[in-house]
Amino acid sequence: MSIVINDLVAGYIPDVNIVDGVSVAVKEATMTTIIGPNGSGKSTLLKAVVGLLPLRAGHITIDGTRCENIPVDRRITRHGVGYVPQSQNVFGSISIENNLWAGGHAMRRRERIDRANELLDLYPALGSRRHARADTLSGGERQLLAVCRALMPSPRTLLLDEPSAGLSPRKVQELFEIIANIRDRDRISILIVEQNAAQSLEVSDAGIVLVQGRIAIADSARGLLANPEVANLFLGGLVTSRNETA
């Protein structure tokens, strides 16, 4: 397992647990989607995993190392954790290239430059405008830049919080195809929180439904897509998987 979360409890104010006893295991090179109603603790769970929120109980193991007492910067630089928050995930006033360099601030200069060039070559929508300010990008391009910033130090684990928020349906599909390709190409373990649940589950390996800080349902992604209760509550009705119609 690349990420193992055991009985995690976390919250923001005393005696109120937003995440209450959650256990999740994400295998290497797989993607797990977290869905659920607003306020169920999805984003809080990611913040606790990356180290932005202290745990009240439970533990987190990443690639065999217990990480709950390791600060955020060391989780990123030494334990290969990448994190993309839902908002304020790029610096709008600086260039695309400088955003990438900021994502690799702990890397050696030559390595940072080479890695940024590699990502800019990989994604021409960014590479062709590498010197443009990030605030001139479209919503989809900004989200791609945010993901690339997190990829700068070549993480083994990637945490994504609502990466498709505010995007058009076409851009949502494009972004999920990119994320799935990152998982397969780089063999990165991905834990993603998404309101566009059906689209995310379509390219995921597993999924969980989080309700009031607890796991209500855990299953394969295909199993959640086929679950009538999940479909009616979170997917807008019954969903026919593209894999089944291909």
Side-chain angles (χ1 to χ4, degrees):
M1 302 290 182
S2 198
I3 317 171
V4 180
I5 303 164
N6 284 317
D7 297 323
L8 189 149
V9 179
Y12 302 98
I13 61 176
D15 302 320
V16 179
N17 295 330
I18 305 301
V19 178
D20 193 7
V22 169
S23 296
V24 183
V26 184
K27 296 180 180 180
E28 180 185 0
T30 66
M31 178 170 157
T32 296
T33 290
I34 306 171
I35 65 175
N38 291 334
S40 60
K42 304 184 299 294
S43 295
T44 299
L45 176 60
L46 292 193
K47 289 176 182 177
V49 173
V50 78
L52 294 173
L53 185 65
L55 303 191
R56 292 177 176 171
H59 59 267
I60 300 165
T61 303
I62 298 175
D63 283 347
T65 300
R66 290 275 295 268
C67 290
E68 59 267 21
N69 295 317
I70 296 175
V72 177
D73 60 336
R74 286 179 56 198
R75 294 191 202 197
I76 294 171
T77 58
R78 298 189 186 184
H79 299 283
V81 179
Y83 173 58
V84 180
Q86 182 178 352
S87 59
Q88 298 180 333
N89 50 26
V90 300
F91 298 114
S93 62
I94 64 175
S95 71
I96 292 168
E97 184 176 61
N98 284 337
N99 264 278
L100 295 182
W101 288 353
H105 65 90
M107 303 168 69
R108 294 179 179 177
R109 183 177 183 275
R110 185 70 258 168
E111 292 175 343
R112 183 171 68 244
I113 292 171
D114 289 346
R115 178 60 171 161
N117 288 338
E118 178 185 359
L119 290 169
L120 291 169
D121 288 343
L122 193 59
Y123 300 107
L126 301 179
S128 63
R129 301 174 61 193
R130 64 191 302 154
H131 300 301
R133 284 170 53 122
D135 56 14
T136 66
L137 296 175
S138 68
E141 290 166 343
R142 284 175 67 97
Q143 289 300 86
L144 176 57
L145 176 57
V147 171
C148 286
R149 276 189 61 201
L151 291 176
M152 275 293 291
S154 300
R156 299 181 298 278
T157 297
L158 189 60
L159 311 176
L160 303 174
D161 192 358
E162 302 278 8
S164 73
L167 301 185
S168 68
R170 183 172 65 86
K171 291 299 183 182
V172 168
Q173 182 177 344
E174 290 177 3
L175 182 64
F176 283 132
E177 289 173 355
I178 288 170
I179 292 170
N181 183 257
I182 289 169
R183 171 200 57 197
D184 299 337
R185 182 191 65 229
D186 300 332
R187 297 194 59 77
I188 293 177
S189 304
I190 299 175
L191 188 60
I192 178 172
V193 166
E194 255 304 330
Q195 289 292 345
N196 285 303
Q199 295 95 322
S200 188
L201 287 169
E202 282 283 354
V203 296
S204 291
D205 304 282
I208 64 173
V209 180
L210 203 62
V211 178
Q212 294 184 337
R214 295 177 177 270
I215 294 179
I217 305 173
D219 202 347
S220 68
R222 180 171 293 184
L224 287 186
L225 286 168
N227 185 315
E229 181 182 6
V230 173
N232 288 328
L233 289 175
F234 304 110
L235 308 181
L238 292 176
V239 176
T240 301
S241 171
R242 288 196 299 271
N243 294 329
E244 294 177 359
T245 59

